[in-house]
Amino acid sequence: MSVIVWWLVTAVMVAAHSASAGSAGVVESYWEVENQFRSPDCTEGVVIAINGTFPGPTIYANAGDTVIIHVKNKLSTENVVIHWHGIRQNGTPWSDGAAGVTQCPINPGETFTYKFTVDKAGTHFYHGHYGMQRSAGLYGMMVVRSPKETLHYDEFNLLLSDWWHLSSTLQELSLSSKPMRWIGEPQSLLINGRGQFDCSQAGYFNEGGLKECNFTKDDPCAPTTLRVEPNKVYRLRIASTTSLASLNLAVEGHQLEVVEADGNYVAPFTVGDIDIYSGETYSVLLRTHNPSPPRKYWISVGVRGRKPNTPQALTVLHYAGASESERLPFPPRETPRWDDFNRSKDFSKKIFAAKGYPPPPEKSNAQLFLLNTQNLMEGYTKWAINNLSLSVPATPYIGSIRYGLPLEYLKFPGPEIIENYDINHPPVNPNTTVSSGIYNLTMGMVVDVILQNSNVLKGEMIE
C-alpha cells in the first residue's frame, strides 16, 4: 500500500521570508476543469485544461495570503481533486486535495472550494490527484513570494513534465490490467506544456537521427523562448510534475546557483546542471554575461535514473540583439549518463539549509520502517508498503477521525522488515494483501521515517 502516516510537523518560520498578519491578502479564483484537444508535442491528444489553459494558470501569492480556489468539475465521466504540492495546510488539512484521505472527490458537475493559507515563501505547484489526471496535464505552477524580500530578480517559471500519446484512460487501464500492460517510456518531455515529438530544434545536428523541427509562430508546441539581457541576474523557478521520468536540466554556457529547494531556502551553491525528480522544486540564479556578438544558448532537459528512450526537451535562452532566425552554433549539451548515480548523490549532498533555519531534532521518539515493494494480488500488479497495498475507505480518513468512525490502526514494524529483505533480488513471496490501515501517532512526537525501496518483481540489480 501507500501507507497514510499521520504525524505532527512542527516548523519554525524564518523571519526573512515570513509575513505579518497585517499584510495578508486574499487570492481567489474560479476554475473549470475539462478535457480539451491540444497538441503539446505537435501531436494532437486530449489534455485536462483549467479555464481553457494548459498547463493551468500560475497562482501568485505573498506569504501569509489566503488562497481560495473554487473548482468546478466539467469532466463528464471522471471525479477530480487537486493537490497543492508543497503547501503545509496547517489548520486546513481538508484542502490538501487527496481523494479518500482528506476529502471526497469532486463529482462531475459539482464544485468544491479549496481555502488555505500560504504561510511561507517558496516555489510550488499543484496537480490532479485522482487516477492518471496528472499524466493528462492537470497541473500548474504556484509561486509564493515574501513581502520582506529585499532582492528582486526578473523571473522565469519552468514547469517540467512527461507526455504520452496514449490517453490517460488507456494508461490507467493498461497499468491496472491482468496482467499489467506496461505503457513504456514517455514519447516527449515538456517545458511549460510544450515539447517536440519526432523532431528536434537541434535536428540539423542529427540529434538521435531526428529531423529538424519547423515551427510557425502560432504552433502550440513551439518552445517558449527565455529572452534575457546581458550582465543581469535572473531567477529560474523550476518544478517537476513528471509521472515517471527523473530529469536533468542545464543551460549551455552558464552556471546555476541553487538558492531554494522544495520551498525552503538553502545555503547557495553553484553547479553546471541540476537533477530534479518528480515532485521537486528548485530556484536557481542565472547570471548572464556579455557575449559578442549576442547569441542564443540551449536550455536542455533530459532523462536521468532510467535508461532513456525519450529525446531531450529543448528551449532557448535568447540574448537581446541576437538574430531571430540564426541557428545555434553548437549542439545541445548531452544529458549526463542515466545511471551515473554518484553524480546524483553528489548533487544531493550539496543541499544544506540556509542560515537561520532551525536544526532538526537531535533525537526521535520512534522509528517507522517502510519497505516499498512491487507485488502481485490475484494476478494484478500492485505496489505495497510493508506488504500492504492501500485501498482508501469510502469515508475519507479525516472525516472518520472527525466523527469518531472506526479505523484500522497498524503497529510499527521493527527494523527486521528491512534488514531481512534482499533488495537485490525479486521477493521470495511476491503476493500482497489490501489494507486501509493507518499509523496513529501522538501529537508532537518526533518520528524517523526510514523508507527502503526495493527491486521490481522480475528486475535485476543495477550495478
Side-chain angles (χ1 to χ4, degrees):
M1 75 175 170
S2 295
V3 178
I4 308 302
V5 182
W6 297 88
W7 72 89
L8 175 68
V9 178
T10 304
V12 181
M13 295 295 292
V14 178
H17 58 95
S18 63
S20 65
S23 64
V26 175
V27 177
E28 187 171 13
S29 295
Y30 292 81
W31 288 0
E32 293 185 345
V33 177
E34 60 184 338
N35 289 315
Q36 291 193 346
F37 286 111
R38 292 295 171 89
S39 301
D41 65 349
C42 309
T43 298
E44 188 177 70
V46 176
V47 305
I48 299 181
I50 298 175
N51 293 348
T53 65
F54 165 76
T58 298
I59 299 172
Y60 290 100
N62 287 323
D65 285 354
T66 297
V67 175
I68 304 173
I69 308 292
H70 309 275
V71 178
K72 181 174 183 179
N73 181 8
K74 295 186 71 175
L75 304 174
S76 57
T77 59
E78 285 188 82
N79 298 329
V80 72
V81 293
I82 294 180
H83 172 63
W84 316 93
H85 200 99
I87 304 302
R88 297 189 292 186
Q89 300 294 353
N90 290 335
T92 53
W94 48 83
S95 284
D96 196 46
V101 179
T102 62
Q103 70 170 100
C104 294
I106 309 168
N107 293 322
E110 293 184 347
T111 298
F112 181 85
T113 297
Y114 294 95
K115 182 178 180 180
F116 52 89
T117 298
V118 288
D119 59 351
K120 66 187 187 71
T123 302
H124 309 290
F125 66 98
Y126 59 85
H127 61 84
H129 210 293
Y130 190 88
M132 301 292 290
Q133 291 176 354
R134 181 166 55 128
S135 178
L138 182 51
Y139 45 69
M141 291 286 288
M142 185 172 188
V143 175
V144 182
R145 297 192 173 104
S146 170
K148 295 187 176 183
E149 286 180 349
T150 56
L151 294 176
H152 297 278
Y153 307 102
D154 289 341
E155 297 183 356
F156 296 103
N157 297 333
L158 297 177
L159 181 59
L160 312 180
S161 54
D162 42 14
W163 184 254
W164 282 260
H165 292 167
L166 200 66
S167 72
S168 59
T169 301
L170 288 176
Q171 289 179 47
E172 185 171 357
L173 176 61
S174 298
L175 295 173
S176 59
S177 292
K178 178 182 177 179
M180 182 183 75
R181 298 185 184 185
W182 178 234
I183 61 174
E185 303 300 311
Q187 277 69 58
S188 303
L189 302 177
L190 307 182
I191 301 175
N192 293 341
R194 294 167 179 252
Q196 295 78 46
F197 173 70
D198 202 27
C199 73
S200 171
Q201 296 178 70
Y204 52 92
F205 291 111
N206 198 31
E207 181 210 14
L210 298 174
K211 65 180 183 294
E212 183 180 1
C213 300
N214 292 304
F215 302 112
T216 67
K217 62 181 179 65
D218 298 321
D219 278 338
C221 57
T224 302
T225 299
L226 277 60
R227 298 183 179 274
V228 298
E229 298 177 359
N231 302 321
K232 287 188 65 175
V233 180
Y234 293 85
R235 182 175 184 168
L236 308 184
R237 295 183 181 265
I238 307 163
S240 174
T241 183
T242 56
S243 297
L244 178 66
S246 304
L247 302 175
N248 177 272
L249 180 143
V251 181
E252 176 200 356
H254 296 73
Q255 295 288 293
L256 304 173
E257 184 179 359
V258 180
V259 295
E260 179 203 349
D262 293 335
N264 297 284
Y265 289 113
V266 299
F269 63 95
T270 301
V271 291
D273 57 83
I274 66 167
D275 282 340
I276 181 168
Y277 299 87
S278 183
E280 292 186 338
T281 64
Y282 289 98
S283 278
V284 300
L285 300 183
L286 181 145
R287 290 174 170 81
T288 60
H289 40 77
N290 192 14
S292 181
R295 55 161 291 198
K296 297 181 284 190
Y297 296 85
W298 292 114
I299 300 174
S300 57
V301 177
V303 173
R304 291 268 284 144
R306 300 180 61 83
K307 194 170 184 178
N309 195 29
T310 308
Q312 287 180 325
L314 298 172
T315 190
V316 172
L317 187 74
H318 188 127
Y319 272 77
S323 168
E324 294 290 333
S325 59
E326 74 169 353
R327 291 178 170 179
L328 277 74
F330 303 104
R333 174 185 180 277
E334 287 189 10
T335 301
R337 276 187 58 88
W338 68 276
D339 56 354
D340 186 352
F341 303 121
N342 287 330
R343 184 187 183 97
S344 301
K345 293 175 184 177
D346 289 343
F347 176 79
S348 297
K349 291 175 181 177
K350 291 182 172 71
I351 300 175
F352 291 92
K355 186 176 180 181
Y357 275 83
E362 293 183 0
K363 297 180 180 179
S364 64
N365 303 112
Q367 289 184 317
L368 177 57
F369 295 90
L370 304 177
L371 175 64
N372 180 38
T373 56
Q374 187 186 60
N375 297 84
L376 291 175
M377 189 173 66
E378 300 178 354
Y380 294 95
T381 301
K382 299 288 184 179
W383 277 257
I385 290 183
N386 297 348
N387 208 40
L388 297 175
S389 187
L390 176 68
S391 177
V392 294
T395 301
Y397 292 106
I398 199 171
S400 296
I401 293 170
R402 171 66 177 82
Y403 293 104
L405 302 179
L407 287 169
E408 176 190 0
Y409 291 103
L410 303 173
K411 295 182 179 179
F412 274 37
E416 64 276 1
I417 196 168
I418 289 176
E419 293 171 352
N420 296 340
Y421 191 93
D422 184 0
I423 65 170
N424 297 328
H425 298 93
V428 176
N429 174 20
N431 298 310
T432 187
T433 56
V434 167
S435 172
S436 60
I438 61 176
Y439 290 104
N440 188 21
L441 281 72
T442 303
M443 179 76 75
M445 70 184 297
V446 177
V447 179
D448 273 335
V449 180
I450 298 95
L451 175 63
Q452 174 65 63
N453 202 17
S454 68
N455 227 343
V456 294
L457 278 171
K458 299 179 181 179
E460 298 294 333
M461 184 65 179
I462 298 174
E463 298 296 341

